[in-house]
Amino acid sequence: MESRQIFILITLLIIFDAIALNCSFGLIYGSGILSNRMLTGNVSSLLLIFLNLTWLCSALVNQTYSQANVQSVEALFKKSAYTFLIQILLLFITLFYVDDLDFFNSSTFYILGLQFIGISTVRLVTFFSEKLNPKLNLYKKKIAIIGNQDLANRLESYFLKNKLSFNLAGSFTDYNTEVIDEKNSKKINKLKDTVKFAIENNLDEVYTTQFPEQCQDLAGVLNLAEKNCVRVKYITSFMQYKREEEAFIDSSYTFNNFYDGIPILVNRREPLSSIGNRIVKRLFDIVFSLFVIVFLLSWFLPLMTLLIKLESKGDALFLQLRSGKKNRPFYCYKFRSMNMNKDSNNLQASRNDPRITKIGAFMRKTSIDELPQFFNVLFGNMSVVGPRPHMLKHTEEYSSLIDQYMVRHFLKPGITGWAQINGFRGETKHHAQMLGRVKHDIWYMENWSLFQDIIIIYKTVANAVQGEENAF
């Protein structure tokens, strides 16, 4: 499965290779090196079309832009050289069949030579960017493997071959064996310490060869991992994957991916783990938020700013730190609906809350106060639909009280969500209310679809127009 970095890298390679090819033609064409015959009529345009089509066909045949072939600069150069040679062969065959071998003169070779230099430059820039820019590591999945079986060794080899997708932080053997972590010069002892290592080093995923049903202490340790937004994935053999009668491969696990022929299982389905689905959701967020900002907030924001300031002192916009994806805090934007007070970051709004202003009561009742969060969506730290972001204090409090509470932070928070349209919005006085919200958020994560998002948005608007009991 492609990581975000690999998808971006492949996209950039395709774009810059196309630029290199067409700019090479433009430089030769513009400099007048091409013969007079090629400058007349549609001959030059025909050559440009042939150059692009033969490169595209060669790249498809050679899988130049596949995930496996962009993991190292050696593979990039090797595949590019093969693609270039196949392109020349295809170009020769194409021009031969159109009875125009005059295309193959010095000018054409000048173009191909410049194209090869340009494409090689793109790959050199990719190589040096990877080496010199440590920030690129932020886009890799940082992972660890625990287990002493051959499968773990095979998986480790796979991750090491795919360094642009994965950052292997450690591979730990038997759960009860001490392993020296050379980087930090300290011992990693037992599975709990391995997960502790994952948490302290901000790992994204931990792969294990054992299942909770096989190890008495594993379930609690894996809950600890999820509480710290570390995904746990299970390594199994193909035969174990096929043998459904195996006690530990039951309906509570679902297939996630194949890595080097090794089935990877997870304990919950996540449609948004697919980069294609994430792109669809992000594009929808951008288009929808831009529509709201341009056609509504462009005039509504100044109006509400004036009304809020006329009633009470303080800024019209209220910025509050909330828990975002992977529990990273971000500033959530809202219209200020309360008088300025020192409890705004610790105390939830309640029914008949004396802090709420008159215009604020109207905004909260109609959910107008949430509209500035479309800027959060556009900036990328929120989605239109997702689990509602909680105050940092409440995240800390409920994460210790409710199992799987932190699982909701695997997704970007949303302006509205599945829990909100099913009655779990507003103040959470009782433990059961937050538990219900968490269950609905996890259901949404496991059953996401674009159509589901549209339904949630429609019901949110309908509820705001009709009025909700828990909106205050």
Side-chain angles (χ1 to χ4, degrees):
M1 186 178 297
E2 289 180 0
S3 66
R4 180 172 65 168
Q5 185 192 11
I6 291 300
F7 175 82
I8 293 173
L9 174 61
I10 290 174
T11 303
L12 289 177
L13 284 173
I14 293 172
I15 292 172
F16 284 111
D17 283 353
I19 291 174
L21 189 157
N22 289 280
C23 284
S24 299
F25 178 87
L27 285 172
I28 301 299
Y29 183 92
S31 65
I33 295 177
L34 294 175
S35 64
N36 291 332
R37 182 175 181 276
M38 294 181 70
L39 288 169
T40 59
N42 295 321
V43 179
S44 58
S45 299
L46 191 61
L47 175 60
L48 181 60
I49 292 172
F50 284 161
L51 285 168
N52 280 278
L53 286 178
T54 52
W55 174 261
L56 176 62
C57 292
S58 179
L60 289 174
V61 169
N62 212 25
Q63 296 184 331
T64 309
Y65 303 112
S66 67
Q67 179 181 354
N69 292 324
V70 299
Q71 295 292 339
S72 67
V73 68
E74 294 84 2
L76 275 173
F77 271 108
K78 185 177 179 180
K79 280 293 180 180
S80 299
Y82 288 156
T83 303
F84 184 71
L85 291 174
I86 295 173
Q87 180 195 21
I88 294 176
L89 178 63
L90 290 176
L91 189 64
F92 180 85
I93 294 172
T94 302
L95 297 179
F96 177 81
Y97 278 103
V98 296
D99 296 325
D100 219 324
L101 286 176
D102 288 341
F103 270 153
F104 255 103
N105 54 31
S106 60
S107 301
T108 305
F109 284 104
Y110 279 137
I111 295 172
L112 291 171
L114 274 179
Q115 175 192 341
F116 185 76
I117 292 172
I119 289 172
S120 299
T121 302
V122 171
R123 276 132 188 84
L124 282 173
V125 170
T126 301
F127 173 75
F128 285 112
S129 297
E130 171 70 17
K131 292 294 182 183
L132 300 177
N133 190 354
K135 289 185 178 179
L136 289 179
N137 286 326
L138 297 176
Y139 296 100
K140 299 179 183 179
K141 286 184 177 179
K142 197 173 182 182
I143 60 174
I145 305 172
I146 44 180
N148 62 348
Q149 301 177 10
D150 291 338
L151 286 175
N153 294 332
R154 280 178 58 192
L155 197 63
E156 179 181 355
S157 298
Y158 173 83
F159 290 142
L160 290 174
K161 289 178 182 177
N162 292 269
K163 290 183 178 180
L164 287 182
S165 296
F166 303 97
N167 184 1
L168 184 61
S171 183
F172 307 101
T173 56
D174 190 84
Y175 300 107
N176 297 312
T177 302
E178 292 184 345
V179 179
I180 299 296
D181 174 28
E182 296 178 356
K183 182 178 178 181
N184 296 299
S185 299
K186 61 182 180 181
K187 293 182 177 181
I188 306 299
N189 189 21
K190 298 185 179 180
L191 180 59
K192 189 169 185 178
D193 289 333
T194 305
V195 173
K196 184 179 178 183
F197 169 85
I199 295 167
E200 291 174 347
N201 289 272
N202 298 314
L203 265 63
D204 298 300
E205 298 175 346
V206 170
Y207 290 78
T208 173
T209 58
Q210 280 197 317
F211 290 73
E213 292 80 359
Q214 295 174 298
C215 181
Q216 185 176 1
D217 299 326
L218 189 59
V221 173
L222 299 183
N223 284 335
L224 176 64
E226 286 194 337
K227 281 186 177 181
N228 289 272
C229 297
V230 178
R231 280 184 172 87
V232 178
K233 297 188 175 182
Y234 303 93
I235 311 168
T236 183
S237 68
F238 185 76
M239 292 303 295
Q240 286 176 322
Y241 175 61
K242 284 296 184 182
R243 289 202 301 267
E244 294 183 353
E245 68 271 18
E246 289 282 348
F248 57 93
I249 309 287
D250 59 23
S251 59
S252 63
Y253 299 96
T254 182
F255 171 75
N256 177 250
N257 206 351
F258 277 113
Y259 287 151
D260 194 23
I262 302 172
I264 306 297
L265 305 182
V266 291
N267 58 358
R268 63 173 55 86
R269 180 175 171 268
E270 290 186 57
L272 286 172
S273 64
S274 164
I275 191 167
N277 287 339
R278 294 201 302 273
I279 290 172
V280 169
K281 186 171 177 63
R282 181 61 185 146
L283 287 175
F284 177 80
D285 284 344
I286 292 172
V287 172
F288 196 91
S289 60
L290 278 175
F291 180 86
V292 173
I293 290 169
V294 172
F295 293 102
L296 178 59
L297 286 176
S298 58
W299 59 268
F300 194 69
L301 181 60
L303 175 62
M304 291 308 302
T305 298
L306 178 62
L307 293 176
I308 293 168
K309 282 184 169 290
L310 284 174
E311 183 178 6
S312 60
K313 294 180 180 180
D315 295 330
L317 285 181
F318 175 62
L319 277 64
Q320 185 179 62
L321 276 174
R322 299 276 183 107
S323 300
K325 186 177 180 180
K326 296 184 180 179
N327 201 26
R328 293 169 183 157
F330 72 99
Y331 280 103
C332 182
Y333 305 149
K334 297 182 71 173
F335 283 125
R336 182 171 58 83
S337 58
M338 295 182 178
N339 290 305
M340 302 295 291
N341 67 92
K342 61 181 180 180
D343 296 322
S344 57
N345 289 318
N346 300 306
L347 189 63
Q348 282 184 304
S350 57
R351 194 178 298 277
N352 301 319
D353 196 317
R355 298 174 297 167
I356 299 176
T357 61
K358 291 180 181 179
I359 186 67
F362 171 75
M363 288 192 297
R364 298 179 75 91
K365 189 68 177 175
T366 55
S367 299
I368 287 175
D369 60 321
E370 312 285 358
L371 287 177
Q373 288 164 33
F374 282 102
F375 287 105
N376 285 116
V377 175
L378 187 62
F379 298 154
N381 45 36
M382 285 185 69
S383 181
V384 177
V385 180
R388 282 295 296 160
H390 294 160
M391 292 187 290
L392 303 187
K393 179 186 177 183
H394 290 153
T395 298
E396 182 180 357
E397 176 185 344
Y398 284 111
S399 63
S400 61
L401 296 175
I402 298 177
D403 287 339
Q404 299 186 328
Y405 175 86
M406 295 303 295
V407 172
R408 65 197 301 277
H409 294 88
F410 286 149
L411 297 181
K412 282 183 183 179
I415 297 176
T416 185
W418 180 245
Q420 280 62 47
I421 66 168
N422 283 281
F424 294 96
R425 65 160 292 176
E427 186 183 17
T428 51
K429 285 184 177 181
H430 307 292
H431 183 274
Q433 291 172 305
M434 183 59 75
L435 182 61
R437 181 180 292 188
V438 170
K439 286 182 177 180
H440 279 77
D441 288 337
I442 293 176
W443 184 93
Y444 170 78
M445 183 178 75
E446 295 176 345
N447 296 275
W448 175 87
S449 70
L450 182 60
F451 179 73
Q452 186 74 23
D453 276 4
I454 294 171
I455 293 296
I456 291 172
I457 292 170
Y458 168 76
K459 289 187 176 180
T460 299
V461 175
N463 289 346
V465 172
Q466 296 170 6
E468 291 185 86
E469 181 182 354
N470 293 329
F472 48 79

Coordinates of all heavy atoms in Angstrom, one line a residue, residues 20 81 194 281 286 313 337 340 378 421:
A20 N 10.6 17.9 -18.3 CA 11.9 17.7 -18.9 C 11.8 17.3 -20.4 O 12.6 17.9 -21.2 CB 12.7 16.6 -18.1
A81 N 16.8 4.5 -17.2 CA 17.7 4.2 -18.4 C 17.0 3.1 -19.3 O 17.0 3.3 -20.5 CB 19.0 3.6 -17.9
T194 N 8.9 -2.8 24.7 CA 9.0 -2.5 23.2 C 7.9 -1.5 22.8 O 8.2 -0.6 22.1 CB 8.8 -3.8 22.5 OG1 9.7 -4.8 22.9 CG2 8.9 -3.6 21.0
K281 N -11.4 12.0 0.1 CA -11.9 12.8 1.2 C -11.3 14.1 1.3 O -12.0 15.1 1.6 CB -11.7 12.0 2.5 CG -12.3 12.6 3.7 CD -12.2 11.7 4.9 CE -12.7 12.3 6.2 NZ -14.2 12.6 6.1
I286 N -11.6 20.1 0.6 CA -11.1 21.4 0.0 C -12.2 22.1 -0.8 O -12.5 23.3 -0.6 CB -9.9 21.1 -0.9 CG1 -8.7 20.7 -0.1 CG2 -9.5 22.3 -1.7 CD1 -7.5 20.2 -0.9
K313 N -16.9 42.6 24.9 CA -15.6 42.9 24.6 C -14.8 41.6 24.3 O -15.1 40.6 24.7 CB -14.9 43.6 25.8 CG -15.5 45.0 26.2 CD -14.7 45.5 27.4 CE -15.3 46.9 27.7 NZ -14.6 47.5 28.9
S337 N -18.7 32.7 21.5 CA -20.1 32.7 22.0 C -20.3 33.0 23.5 O -21.4 33.1 24.0 CB -20.8 31.4 21.7 OG -20.1 30.3 22.3
M340 N -15.6 36.8 27.8 CA -14.3 36.4 28.1 C -14.2 35.8 29.6 O -14.7 36.5 30.5 CB -13.3 37.6 28.0 CG -13.3 38.2 26.6 SD -12.7 37.1 25.3 CE -11.0 37.0 25.7
L378 N -9.8 23.7 5.4 CA -8.9 24.2 4.3 C -7.5 24.1 4.6 O -6.7 23.7 3.7 CB -9.3 25.6 3.9 CG -8.7 26.1 2.6 CD1 -9.1 25.3 1.4 CD2 -9.0 27.6 2.4
I421 N -24.9 13.4 14.7 CA -26.2 13.3 14.2 C -27.0 12.2 14.8 O -28.2 12.1 14.5 CB -26.1 13.1 12.6 CG1 -25.5 11.7 12.3 CG2 -25.4 14.2 11.9 CD1 -25.7 11.3 10.9

